[in-house]
Amino acid sequence: MTDFLKGKKQIHFIGIGGSGMYPLAQILHAQGYAITGSDNNETVTLDAVRKMGIKVHLGHNAANIDGADLIIFSSAISGENPELKAAREAGILTRDRAELLGLFTSQHDKAVCVVGTHGKTTVTSMLVHILMAAGLDISAFVGGKLKILGGSARLGSSGIMAVEACEFNNNFLKLDPNITLILNIDEDHLDFFKNMDNLRRAYSNFCNLTSDLIIMNGDCINTKVAVMNSDYRKKIITFGFAETNDYYPKNIKKVSDFETSFELLGETITISVPGVHNVLNAVAACAASLHLGADLSAIKEGLRGFTGAGRRFERIFEADGITVVDDYAHHPAEVEATLKTAKNMSYKRVWAVHQPFTFSRTKALLDDFAAALAIADRVVLSAIMGGREVDNGDIKSEDLSVKIAGSVVIQDFEGIAKYVAENAESGDLIITMGCGDVDKCARLIAGRLGN
């Protein structure tokens, strides 16, 4: 891959607060490049960017790119963005963030790319914790914040890189994976892929890029079909719950609300994040870690010390018997897994405060969302966050609410926070859910409860 960073000094990020942009800025900042950025909304991430000494412009304006000799943008940035247009008109080199991540993966001998519909951030984070517990000086790119990284990324010297890779818009096909870890393949991003055949084909193409090893969920039919239909014919390792896999957990036991133990390869391993789905995530991380040279003692230490990534069942507030948790769940399968885990904990009632993300996903999976959210005792819906999509008026949160008995729709976060704080009781677990900015709502609820 051509090194388009060669000779560049000042790099501007359009949308620097995005979960896929912030870690790239961290890596380039660590390499000594002068970085600037812009974004539309104030976020906790922008605060973190500024603390690195990076200048951030609020709002997009052509003047923001002054002095830059390379522009990085993401799939969320329109071709009509004034900064992107100005850069192209001025002949400044522009690259999307997936190309930059692809360059980084090509510069590592053992780039482990974690892909799948669910669990990517958690498994990549577990992998980071294990490999660092093993004393390996790894590079990392994670879509959530980790205390151990002081953000979402790090630059190491070992040649190993743990990468969370996103399939949307075929972005992962710009990467250079040595090891591919496939967690699962489920219906998502159908606004782009249109159907499951196209989605599986994209994963098959990603397998074709893999140079050394595929570690795959042997229990997932779609994953097996994608790998089988690829041209990849080298080593394959499987993990799952079934004993037919190379790696599988035994004797799974709930230790406490936030701890679960299981046996793997004759050792008892304890994870400090709740839910059986996280046992499977841990097994996937174990399989990759062992191949990269970590031993079982490092695995046990790393997993015990991992208490979750930012926005993954992240505890925001605990007082007077009420707990507020924020979670990134934005697909029915993720919502179901999160709420089933919550219902298996020792709380009296579970609240789901859900911000639907994108009109197309909400419409396509409406009944599935309704069934998953109905697991909660109380359901509050905000307005749909359109993200990259335009609202054509054919789907709204009320269409989801009518399918969930007792649910309410409150359009704005301030209104939701007021309603939840006035109706919450001791023993309640309140979970804000979604991949938009619903974490702001979690903090508003916490603020009202704290007062």
Side-chain angles (χ1 to χ4, degrees):
M1 183 177 293
T2 302
D3 186 358
F4 54 80
L5 291 173
K6 191 173 182 179
K8 300 297 183 289
K9 295 180 179 179
Q10 183 170 328
I11 303 172
H12 180 77
F13 282 74
I14 306 175
I16 197 168
S19 61
M21 297 285 272
Y22 168 54
L24 295 173
Q26 275 192 288
I27 292 173
L28 289 177
H29 183 264
Q31 291 179 327
Y33 290 94
I35 309 295
T36 60
S38 61
D39 217 312
N40 275 331
N41 300 301
E42 286 288 359
T43 61
V44 173
T45 300
L46 286 193
D47 290 339
V49 172
R50 291 190 181 102
K51 287 177 181 176
M52 293 165 59
I54 294 174
K55 184 177 181 179
V56 178
H57 304 275
L58 196 61
H60 298 300
N61 188 296
N64 294 343
I65 69 169
D66 287 351
D69 48 20
L70 174 63
I71 306 295
I72 304 296
F73 62 96
S74 74
S75 301
I77 302 301
S78 163
E80 297 303 307
N81 179 280
E83 296 175 16
L84 190 56
K85 285 182 68 176
R88 288 170 172 167
E89 289 169 2
I92 300 172
L93 184 65
T94 63
R95 288 288 183 269
D96 70 56
R97 71 164 188 86
E99 291 176 286
L100 179 56
L101 183 57
L103 177 60
F104 289 148
T105 58
S106 72
Q107 294 170 342
H108 288 76
D109 298 325
K110 294 180 180 178
V112 186
C113 294
V114 181
V115 298
T117 309
H118 320 296
K120 293 187 292 293
T121 298
T122 296
V123 173
T124 309
S125 300
M126 287 176 165
L127 191 57
V128 167
H129 269 256
I130 294 169
L131 296 176
M132 292 182 72
L136 297 169
D137 186 19
I138 65 166
S139 298
F141 173 95
V142 186
K145 296 183 181 68
L146 281 178
K147 289 180 181 178
I148 197 171
L149 297 179
S152 299
R154 82 184 302 267
L155 184 65
S157 60
S158 67
I160 298 172
M161 185 176 192
V163 179
E164 177 181 345
C166 177
E167 73 275 19
F168 174 69
N169 207 30
N170 278 328
N171 283 331
F172 63 172
L173 298 185
K174 297 174 183 176
L175 307 186
D176 189 8
N178 302 106
I179 301 169
T180 289
L181 175 51
I182 309 177
L183 304 177
N184 41 65
I185 303 174
D186 202 350
E187 287 186 324
D188 199 15
H189 299 305
L190 296 185
D191 54 323
F192 174 76
F193 289 109
K194 307 304 180 187
N195 56 56
M196 180 55 77
D197 285 342
N198 291 335
L199 183 57
R200 282 192 295 253
R201 189 174 299 112
Y203 276 88
S204 295
N205 290 335
F206 189 72
C207 291
N208 294 339
L209 300 175
T210 307
S211 64
D212 299 338
L213 171 68
I214 288 178
I215 304 170
M216 58 174 272
N217 184 342
D219 297 343
C220 176
I221 297 298
N222 287 324
T223 298
K224 290 195 284 189
V225 170
V227 174
M228 180 182 66
N229 288 342
S230 74
D231 297 327
Y232 179 86
R233 294 295 180 267
K234 296 181 182 178
K235 188 174 182 180
I236 296 174
I237 291 172
T238 62
F239 69 92
F241 287 115
E243 294 185 6
T244 51
N245 292 295
D246 297 309
Y247 295 91
Y248 58 90
K250 294 166 53 176
N251 298 325
I252 300 170
K253 296 178 181 177
K254 178 182 173 183
V255 178
S256 68
D257 277 347
F258 285 87
E259 290 182 312
T260 307
S261 71
F262 63 95
E263 289 181 17
L264 182 71
L265 301 177
E267 292 281 344
T268 298
I269 296 170
T270 301
I271 58 174
S272 302
V273 285
V276 174
H277 63 291
N278 276 321
V279 170
L280 188 61
N281 287 335
V283 172
C286 290
S289 299
L290 288 166
H291 180 78
L292 291 166
D295 59 20
L296 282 168
S297 63
I299 285 173
K300 292 172 74 171
E301 179 187 345
L303 288 176
R304 191 65 189 258
F306 172 66
T307 56
R311 299 222 57 217
R312 273 69 183 178
F313 218 88
E314 180 183 6
R315 280 175 277 186
I316 303 297
F317 174 89
E318 290 178 279
D320 300 324
I322 300 174
T323 301
V324 179
V325 165
D326 180 52
D327 195 84
Y328 201 69
H330 59 282
H331 182 280
E334 296 164 355
V335 171
E336 179 182 356
T338 297
L339 291 177
K340 282 185 174 179
T341 295
K343 291 287 285 184
N344 194 39
M345 299 167 88
S346 56
Y347 298 97
K348 291 181 180 178
R349 297 190 303 176
V350 174
W351 291 66
V353 178
H354 178 61
Q355 179 191 42
F357 186 77
T358 72
F359 303 103
S360 61
R361 179 188 282 123
T362 305
K363 184 177 180 179
L365 303 174
L366 193 68
D367 289 338
D368 293 334
F369 271 118
L373 287 164
I375 295 169
D377 300 295
R378 300 291 298 271
V379 178
V380 182
L381 303 173
S382 75
I384 298 172
M385 185 175 186
R388 57 188 173 266
E389 298 180 349
V390 176
D391 183 6
N392 62 15
D394 67 346
I395 187 71
K396 54 188 182 298
S397 292
E398 286 79 1
D399 298 319
L400 178 56
S401 180
V402 297
K403 294 176 176 287
I404 307 169
S407 65
V408 297
V409 177
I410 302 173
Q411 299 292 323
D412 63 289
F413 291 159
E414 286 284 358
I416 291 174
K418 181 175 184 293
Y419 176 82
V420 172
E422 288 175 350
N423 290 279
E425 301 172 358
S426 180
D428 282 359
L429 172 63
I430 301 158
I431 311 176
T432 55
M433 312 177 79
C435 66
D437 59 353
V438 73
D439 56 311
K440 295 177 181 177
C441 189
R443 287 169 173 80
L444 288 173
I445 294 169
R448 283 185 174 270
L449 291 171
N451 290 330

